[in-house]
Coordinates of all heavy atoms in Angstrom, one line a residue:
R1 N 0.9 -1.2 0.0 CA 0.0 0.0 0.0 C 0.9 1.2 0.0 O 2.0 1.2 0.4 CB -0.9 0.0 1.2 CG -0.3 0.1 2.6 CD -1.3 0.0 3.7 NE -0.6 0.0 5.0 CZ -1.0 0.8 6.0 NH1 -2.0 1.7 5.8 NH2 -0.4 0.7 7.2
E2 N 0.3 2.3 -0.6 CA 1.0 3.6 -0.5 C 0.3 4.6 0.3 O -0.9 4.7 0.4 CB 1.1 4.2 -2.0 CG 2.1 3.4 -2.8 CD 2.3 4.1 -4.2 OE1 2.0 5.3 -4.4 OE2 2.8 3.4 -5.1
I3 N 1.1 5.3 1.1 CA 0.6 6.3 2.1 C 1.4 7.7 1.8 O 2.6 7.6 1.7 CB 1.0 5.9 3.5 CG1 0.4 4.5 3.9 CG2 0.5 7.0 4.5 CD1 -1.1 4.5 3.9
A4 N 0.6 8.7 1.7 CA 1.3 10.0 1.5 C 2.0 10.3 2.8 O 1.6 10.0 3.9 CB 0.2 11.1 1.3
I5 N 3.2 11.0 2.7 CA 4.0 11.2 3.9 C 3.3 12.0 4.9 O 3.5 11.8 6.1 CB 5.4 11.8 3.5 CG1 6.3 11.7 4.8 CG2 5.2 13.2 3.0 CD1 7.8 11.8 4.5
D6 N 2.4 12.9 4.5 CA 1.7 13.7 5.5 C 0.6 13.0 6.2 O 0.0 13.4 7.2 CB 1.2 15.0 4.9 CG 0.1 14.8 3.7 OD1 -0.2 13.6 3.5 OD2 -0.3 15.8 3.2
S7 N 0.3 11.7 5.8 CA -0.6 10.8 6.6 C 0.1 9.7 7.3 O -0.5 8.9 7.9 CB -1.6 10.2 5.6 OG -2.4 11.2 5.0
F8 N 1.4 9.6 7.1 CA 2.2 8.5 7.7 C 2.4 8.6 9.2 O 2.3 7.6 9.9 CB 3.6 8.4 6.9 CG 4.4 7.3 7.4 CD1 4.2 6.0 6.9 CD2 5.6 7.5 8.2 CE1 5.0 4.9 7.4 CE2 6.4 6.5 8.5 CZ 6.1 5.2 8.2
F9 N 2.7 9.8 9.7 CA 3.1 9.9 11.1 C 1.8 10.2 11.9 O 1.0 11.0 11.5 CB 4.1 11.1 11.2 CG 5.3 10.9 10.4 CD1 5.5 11.6 9.3 CD2 6.3 10.0 10.8 CE1 6.7 11.4 8.5 CE2 7.4 9.8 10.1 CZ 7.6 10.5 8.9
T10 N 1.7 9.6 13.0 CA 0.6 9.8 13.9 C 1.0 10.5 15.2 O 0.2 10.8 16.1 CB -0.1 8.5 14.3 OG1 0.8 7.6 14.9 CG2 -0.7 7.8 13.0
G11 N 2.3 10.7 15.4 CA 2.8 11.4 16.6 C 4.3 11.0 16.7 O 4.9 10.2 15.9
P12 N 5.0 11.7 17.7 CA 6.4 11.4 17.9 C 6.6 9.9 18.1 O 6.1 9.3 19.0 CB 6.8 12.2 19.1 CG 5.8 13.3 19.2 CD 4.5 12.6 18.6
G13 N 7.5 9.2 17.3 CA 7.8 7.8 17.4 C 6.7 6.9 16.9 O 6.8 5.7 17.1
R14 N 5.6 7.5 16.3 CA 4.5 6.6 15.9 C 4.1 6.9 14.4 O 4.2 8.0 14.0 CB 3.3 6.9 16.8 CG 3.5 6.5 18.3 CD 2.3 6.6 19.1 NE 1.3 7.6 18.8 CZ 1.3 8.8 19.4 NH1 2.1 9.1 20.4 NH2 0.4 9.7 19.1
S15 N 3.7 5.8 13.8 CA 3.2 6.0 12.4 C 2.1 5.0 12.1 O 1.7 4.3 13.0 CB 4.4 5.6 11.5 OG 4.7 4.2 11.5
V16 N 1.6 5.0 10.9 CA 0.5 4.1 10.5 C 1.0 2.7 10.1 O 0.2 1.8 9.8 CB -0.3 4.7 9.3 CG1 -0.9 6.0 9.7 CG2 0.6 4.8 8.1
M17 N 2.3 2.4 10.3 CA 2.8 1.1 10.0 C 2.2 0.0 10.9 O 2.1 0.3 12.1 CB 4.4 1.1 10.1 CG 5.1 1.8 9.0 SD 6.9 1.7 9.2 CE 7.2 0.0 8.9
E18 N 1.8 -1.1 10.3 CA 1.2 -2.2 11.0 C 2.2 -3.2 11.2 O 3.3 -3.3 10.6 CB 0.0 -2.7 10.2 CG -1.1 -1.7 10.1 CD -2.3 -2.1 9.2 OE1 -2.2 -3.2 8.6 OE2 -3.2 -1.3 9.0
K19 N 1.9 -4.1 12.2 CA 2.8 -5.2 12.5 C 3.2 -6.0 11.2 O 2.2 -6.4 10.5 CB 2.2 -6.2 13.5 CG 3.0 -7.3 14.0 CD 4.0 -7.0 15.0 CE 4.7 -8.2 15.5 NZ 6.1 -8.0 15.7
G20 N 4.4 -6.2 11.0 CA 4.8 -7.0 9.8 C 5.1 -6.1 8.6 O 5.6 -6.6 7.5
E21 N 4.8 -4.8 8.7 CA 5.1 -4.0 7.4 C 6.4 -3.4 7.5 O 7.0 -3.1 8.5 CB 4.1 -2.8 7.4 CG 2.7 -3.2 6.9 CD 1.8 -2.0 6.7 OE1 1.8 -1.1 7.5 OE2 1.0 -2.1 5.7
I22 N 7.0 -3.2 6.3 CA 8.3 -2.7 6.1 C 8.2 -1.6 5.0 O 7.4 -1.7 4.0 CB 9.3 -3.8 5.6 CG1 9.5 -4.8 6.6 CG2 10.6 -3.2 5.1 CD1 10.2 -6.1 6.1
I23 N 8.9 -0.5 5.2 CA 8.9 0.5 4.1 C 9.7 -0.1 3.0 O 10.9 -0.5 3.2 CB 9.5 1.9 4.6 CG1 8.7 2.5 5.7 CG2 9.7 2.8 3.4 CD1 9.3 3.8 6.3
E24 N 9.2 -0.1 1.8 CA 9.8 -0.7 0.6 C 10.5 0.4 -0.2 O 11.6 0.4 -0.5 CB 8.9 -1.5 -0.2 CG 9.5 -2.2 -1.4 CD 8.6 -3.1 -2.2 OE1 7.4 -3.1 -1.9 OE2 9.1 -3.7 -3.1
N25 N 9.7 1.5 -0.5 CA 10.2 2.5 -1.4 C 9.6 3.9 -1.0 O 8.5 3.9 -0.3 CB 9.7 2.3 -2.9 CG 10.4 1.1 -3.5 OD1 11.7 1.1 -3.6 ND2 9.7 0.1 -3.8
F26 N 10.2 4.9 -1.4 CA 9.7 6.3 -1.4 C 9.5 6.7 -2.9 O 10.4 6.5 -3.7 CB 10.7 7.2 -0.7 CG 10.9 6.9 0.7 CD1 11.9 5.9 1.1 CD2 10.2 7.5 1.7 CE1 12.1 5.6 2.4 CE2 10.4 7.2 3.0 CZ 11.3 6.2 3.4
I27 N 8.3 7.1 -3.2 CA 8.0 7.5 -4.6 C 7.7 9.0 -4.6 O 6.9 9.5 -3.9 CB 6.8 6.7 -5.1 CG1 7.2 5.2 -5.0 CG2 6.5 7.1 -6.5 CD1 6.0 4.3 -5.2
I28 N 8.5 9.7 -5.4 CA 8.5 11.1 -5.5 C 8.2 11.6 -6.9 O 9.0 11.2 -7.8 CB 9.7 11.8 -4.9 CG1 10.0 11.3 -3.5 CG2 9.6 13.3 -4.9 CD1 11.4 11.7 -2.9
P29 N 7.2 12.3 -7.2 CA 7.0 12.8 -8.6 C 8.1 13.8 -9.0 O 8.5 14.6 -8.2 CB 5.6 13.6 -8.5 CG 5.4 13.9 -7.0 CD 6.2 12.9 -6.3
I30 N 8.6 13.6 -10.2 CA 9.6 14.4 -10.7 C 9.0 15.7 -11.3 O 8.1 15.6 -12.2 CB 10.4 13.7 -11.8 CG1 11.2 12.5 -11.2 CG2 11.4 14.6 -12.5 CD1 11.9 11.6 -12.2
R31 N 9.4 16.8 -10.8 CA 8.9 18.1 -11.3 C 10.0 19.1 -10.8 O 10.9 18.8 -10.0 CB 7.6 18.4 -10.7 CG 7.5 18.5 -9.2 CD 6.1 18.7 -8.7 NE 6.1 18.8 -7.3 CZ 6.1 17.8 -6.4 NH1 6.2 16.5 -6.9 NH2 6.0 18.0 -5.1
E32 N 9.9 20.3 -11.4 CA 10.9 21.3 -11.0 C 10.7 21.7 -9.6 O 9.6 22.0 -9.2 CB 10.7 22.5 -11.9 CG 11.8 23.5 -11.7 CD 11.8 24.7 -12.6 OE1 11.2 24.6 -13.7 OE2 12.3 25.8 -12.2
T33 N 11.8 21.7 -8.8 CA 11.7 22.1 -7.4 C 12.8 23.0 -7.1 O 13.9 23.0 -7.8 CB 11.9 20.9 -6.5 OG1 13.1 20.3 -6.6 CG2 10.8 19.8 -6.7
K34 N 12.5 23.9 -6.2 CA 13.6 24.8 -5.7 C 13.5 24.8 -4.2 O 12.4 24.8 -3.7 CB 13.4 26.2 -6.2 CG 13.5 26.3 -7.7 CD 13.4 27.7 -8.2 CE 13.4 27.7 -9.7 NZ 14.1 28.7 -10.4
G35 N 14.6 24.9 -3.6 CA 14.5 24.8 -2.1 C 15.9 24.8 -1.6 O 16.9 24.7 -2.2
E36 N 15.9 24.8 -0.3 CA 17.2 24.7 0.5 C 17.0 23.9 1.8 O 15.8 23.9 2.3 CB 17.6 26.1 0.9 CG 19.0 26.2 1.6 CD 20.1 25.7 0.7 OE1 20.3 26.1 -0.5 OE2 20.8 24.7 1.2
F37 N 18.0 23.2 2.3 CA 17.9 22.5 3.5 C 18.9 23.1 4.5 O 20.1 23.1 4.1 CB 18.0 21.0 3.3 CG 17.9 20.3 4.6 CD1 16.6 19.9 5.0 CD2 19.0 20.0 5.5 CE1 16.4 19.2 6.3 CE2 18.8 19.4 6.6 CZ 17.5 19.0 7.1
L38 N 18.5 23.6 5.6 CA 19.4 24.1 6.6 C 19.0 23.3 7.9 O 17.9 23.2 8.2 CB 19.2 25.6 6.8 CG 19.5 26.4 5.6 CD1 19.1 27.9 5.8 CD2 21.0 26.3 5.2
K39 N 20.1 22.9 8.6 CA 19.8 22.2 9.8 C 20.3 23.0 11.0 O 21.4 23.5 11.1 CB 20.6 20.9 9.8 CG 20.5 20.0 11.1 CD 21.2 18.7 10.9 CE 21.0 17.9 12.2 NZ 21.7 16.6 12.0
L40 N 19.4 23.1 12.0 CA 19.7 23.7 13.3 C 20.0 22.6 14.3 O 19.0 21.9 14.6 CB 18.5 24.6 13.7 CG 18.7 25.3 15.1 CD1 19.8 26.3 15.0 CD2 17.4 26.0 15.5
G41 N 21.2 22.5 14.7 CA 21.5 21.4 15.5 C 22.9 21.7 16.2 O 23.6 22.6 15.8

């Protein structure tokens, strides 16, 4: 099954994954993107 990332997490340390499920792939539509990643740590 496929789940949108914004529906995957249910809280800190929790997700919709059920017993026996494994993340197989991440599928991302190819389109023009612009952005930056900065880490505060």
Side-chain angles (χ1 to χ4, degrees):
R1 63 184 178 130
E2 285 185 21
I3 304 290
I5 193 159
D6 61 1
S7 299
F8 181 75
F9 304 102
T10 59
R14 296 189 325 262
S15 72
V16 298
M17 287 180 68
E18 297 173 0
K19 180 78 173 144
E21 284 189 318
I22 295 170
I23 297 175
E24 183 175 6
N25 292 298
F26 296 85
I27 301 168
I28 306 172
I30 295 172
R31 60 186 181 281
E32 185 176 340
T33 63
K34 294 183 188 220
E36 185 61 55
F37 183 86
L38 301 172
K39 179 176 179 176
L40 177 63

